[in-house]
Structures are given as structure tokens and as C-alpha cells.
Amino acid sequence: MSHDEKFKSGDEHLVYMANQIATFFTSQPEAERAVGVADHINKFWEPRMRGRLFEIIEMGGDGLSPLVLEASQTINRPKAA
């Protein structure tokens, strides 16, 4: 992690992480890409992270890769508290 990455805002860091996951899955067959991104986020992101991801998407999804946006259709939305 670079010095600049340590000081990104929470939202910027979340977008960065989601995009990194998407970048990894671009090497997979096309039919498996969005499913792979969603599966990874569902398994490894806590509900607060997934909830904030959905808030970012609802505000326009600025900075998120198209693959993350596609995967969001199958990412588990956390239940409201």
C-alpha cells in the first residue's frame, strides 16, 4: 500500500478495494466475472462495508468500475438496523 493510499477517505478506499477485486476477476471468463466479484464481496466484506458500497452506488457510483456495478445486482444488501 502506498503512502497516498493510507490517507484516502473511507469511501475512496472502499471504491479502490472494490475496483481491485473487479480487476482481478477480469482475467476470468466473462460469464464468471460479476458473479466472482459479488461472491468475494459477500464472503469477505462485513455488512457495514457492503451497506456503504450500496450508498455509494445510490449516489451515482462515482469511481466504481462497470464490473462492480454489474456485480452489485447479486451482492447481499445488509438488513437495516
Side-chain angles (χ1 to χ4, degrees):
M1 181 179 290
S2 76
H3 180 268
D4 291 338
E5 290 169 358
K6 289 180 185 178
F7 296 101
K8 287 183 179 181
S9 75
D11 287 354
E12 288 173 333
H13 190 67
L14 207 65
V15 167
Y16 175 82
M17 290 190 307
N19 288 341
Q20 286 294 103
I21 295 165
T23 297
F24 172 81
F25 281 99
T26 59
S27 65
Q28 303 300 311
E30 189 171 349
E32 298 174 18
R33 293 175 187 170
V35 172
V37 171
D39 186 50
H40 182 90
I41 290 174
N42 285 331
K43 284 182 180 176
F44 298 108
W45 284 27
E46 65 178 29
R48 287 182 300 168
M49 293 170 69
R50 285 184 279 116
R52 187 63 192 146
L53 179 64
F54 280 108
E55 290 173 2
I56 292 167
I57 291 168
E58 289 165 1
M59 292 186 303
D62 289 345
L64 289 169
S65 78
L67 184 53
V68 173
L69 296 173
E70 180 182 348
S72 72
Q73 301 302 309
T74 54
I75 294 171
N76 297 328
R77 185 180 291 264
K79 296 180 176 129

